[in-house]
Amino acid sequence: MLTQAERIVVGVADLAASRDDHASIVTYALGSCLGLMIHDPVAHVGAMLHVMLPDSRLDASMAASNPAMFVDTGVPRLFMAAYRLGAVKERIVVKVVGGAAVQGGSDMFEIGKRNMVALHRILWKNNVMIQSSDVGGNVARTATLHVGDGRVTMRIDGTDKSL
């Protein structure tokens, strides 16, 4: 019997987690935003965060109402969502996509770079390493996490690529 694959769409400043082997989690148009994907290969748990800004101190009320908007508040929420589904920190594989300067290559606020610095800071503080990434540059990316096997595929300028 064939099982129809579920496609879970993660919007901007949003996150999702699943333990459905047939599911894929996708987010579109990652410019300066980051798509952070985590996967536990034993528990078959996958989760994705589409985060916009590095630091919740920029807007505490917004961080309270939507923690997925900021790296420092969204990343812990992502991991907690995965843990609730059975993921174990020591087995989690981390991949990240995005962090570009899509304004014609000039981003005077360097949001993409600042997002990556904030992400590295919180992951290092918690002894979590990024296994692979495709960040920077000046193109937007679409990222898909395949929950069953943890594969991440990207679409950049109409070209598909694996991460």
Side-chain angles (χ1 to χ4, degrees):
M1 179 170 110
L2 291 176
T3 303
Q4 184 166 334
E6 179 184 7
R7 182 176 213 100
I8 302 165
V9 177
V10 172
V12 177
D14 191 14
L15 66 87
S18 176
R19 64 175 167 214
D20 178 351
D21 275 351
H22 302 287
S24 59
I25 307 173
V26 63
T27 195
Y28 299 96
L30 288 162
S32 61
C33 294
L34 296 177
L36 176 63
M37 292 145 284
I38 63 176
H39 182 259
D40 179 330
V42 175
H44 297 269
V45 171
M48 178 187 290
L49 169 68
H50 184 140
V51 65
M52 293 175 60
L53 296 167
D55 192 334
S56 62
R57 291 177 295 181
L58 294 170
D59 189 333
S61 65
M62 184 61 73
S65 65
N66 187 0
M69 181 176 284
F70 301 96
V71 171
D72 64 331
T73 52
V75 171
R77 293 281 176 116
L78 179 71
F79 276 79
M80 292 308 296
Y83 297 156
R84 281 192 297 275
L85 294 177
V88 175
K89 177 183 171 183
E90 292 75 22
R91 298 190 305 235
I92 286 180
V93 175
V94 178
K95 298 182 181 184
V96 62
V97 173
V102 293
Q103 303 292 339
S106 66
D107 177 4
M108 69 185 248
F109 297 109
E110 296 187 319
I111 299 298
K113 287 181 184 177
R114 289 173 50 214
N115 281 339
M116 280 303 297
V117 168
L119 178 62
H120 278 125
R121 186 178 305 123
I122 195 167
L123 293 178
W124 288 340
K125 181 180 176 185
N126 290 284
N127 295 318
V128 176
M129 300 303 292
I130 296 171
Q131 182 191 51
S132 59
S133 64
D134 191 301
V135 297
N138 58 8
V139 295
R141 300 160 172 92
T142 292
T144 303
L145 169 63
H146 304 272
V147 175
D149 60 10
R151 285 180 304 118
V152 172
T153 54
M154 297 177 300
R155 180 165 281 253
I156 305 169
D157 284 339
T159 303
D160 291 326
K161 178 179 173 183
S162 292
L163 180 63

